[in-house]
Amino acid sequence: MSANEVKHAGLNLGDTDEVTHEQAGEGIFGFWVFLMSDAIVFALLFATYGVMLPGTAGGPTPASEYDMKSAFIETLLLLTSSFTFGLASIAMKHELGRVRLQFWLGITLLLGLAFLGFELHDFASMFSDGAYGSRSGYLSSFFGLVPLHGLHVFFGSLWIVVMMVQVSWFGLDARVKINLLRLGLFWHFLDIVWVGIFSVVYLQGLI
Amino acid sequence: MSGPNAGKRHEITTYVIGYVAALVLTGAAFGAVHWHWFADTTTTLAVVFGLALVQIIVHFRFFLHISFSRSARDDLQLILFSTLIVALMVGGTIVILLNLRARMM
């Protein structure tokens, strides 16, 4: 069995830590199954949103509620956080020092929190326009889809904090490394869902 | 040129390529809507959805390191099966409910 063999999605540890790499395959595959089932949940919420879009019931419409600048800033924040998580994964894999790993995890966390701040600000301004979930079918489906993604980002941020604590308490043992690989998959996956949200929800509403 | 160091450079390059490609695709999608590059809204929508699809593939390839030739078989089969389920359920939902809407209006 070659050390460089690709055993699972995401960054593989084969060429730097063969022992962890041997253990990673199964554990990561289980998490990958969860991510794909989560993807199906999101896909169906997208379908619901698409069907509900004309159902504004005389209330607020997408064009009146969405703010393109804010959506663009949120996109850049989340995309950059995905990139900085990649740099954290590389620091973990090649053992470039715990300080560097913690630094990139910290930057990713700050970008994630900034994203949540902008998103909450968006929701607050929608509420102040009377655009809340029970107003129309369109708004129900909006508040089913977009805040669910925000909730994922929130728990992802919490998970980053947990991993920063684990790295400083336990060091980089096999368990911590595999947890970091899973968190990486989760974080990159959230960015993929956001690509769908900014295209299907925000840009479609603003055309 | 092999071993962990060459591997590290290659991996960093992979993430940088993914990041730059995603930035360009995002910029193109927002630009097309903001500056009304296409007169027709249907064309704009098709372009935005097309760019999103390309960007999702870029994310899978460069951030999640999934590709047809190198991935573990189980991962790839799971993705393809999930894609099939998503296509059936999303496609079915949209066809049936939009048809119902058209009949009720």
Side-chain angles (χ1 to χ4, degrees), chain A residues 93-106:
Chain A
K93 174 174 175 179
H94 294 279
E95 289 172 10
L96 305 178
R98 262 191 241 176
V99 177
R100 199 183 294 196
L101 171 58
Q102 298 279 33
F103 171 77
W104 287 121
L105 284 178

Side-chain angles (χ1 to χ4, degrees), chain A residues 135-178:
Chain A
R135 177 63 187 82
S136 64
Y138 146 64
L139 284 165
S140 300
S141 62
F142 174 87
F143 282 106
L145 172 61
V146 183
L148 184 68
H149 173 270
L151 207 61
H152 276 73
V153 174
F154 173 74
F155 279 102
S157 305
L158 209 61
W159 194 359
I160 292 179
V161 175
V162 170
M163 286 321 299
M164 290 173 80
V165 173
Q166 283 196 359
V167 168
S168 61
W169 276 5
F170 303 124
L172 282 174
D173 59 16
R175 207 174 35 146
V176 172
K177 279 186 176 177
I178 293 175

Side-chain angles (χ1 to χ4, degrees), chain A residues 6-11 29 32 36 40 43-44 51 68 72 75 79-80 86 90 93-94 185 191 198-199, chain B residues 4 8 11-12 15 19 22 26 30 33 45 52 59 64-66 70 72 74-75 78-79 82 89-90 97 101:
Chain A
V6 178
K7 289 176 89 80
H8 54 76
L11 200 63
F29 184 71
W32 191 241
M36 287 297 108
I40 291 173
L44 290 177
V51 169
M68 188 185 287
F72 188 58
T75 306
L79 180 59
T80 308
I90 288 172
K93 174 174 175 179
H94 294 279
L185 291 182
D191 202 15
F198 84 70
S199 304
Chain B
K8 186 176 87 185
E11 279 157 13
I12 292 176
Y15 281 107
Y19 183 53
T26 302
F30 275 90
V33 175
L45 194 62
H59 280 243
L64 290 171
H65 307 272
I66 301 280
R70 288 183 61 250
D74 291 346
D75 286 344
L78 181 60
I79 295 169
S82 309
M89 300 212 295
V90 171
L97 286 177
R101 168 179 292 279

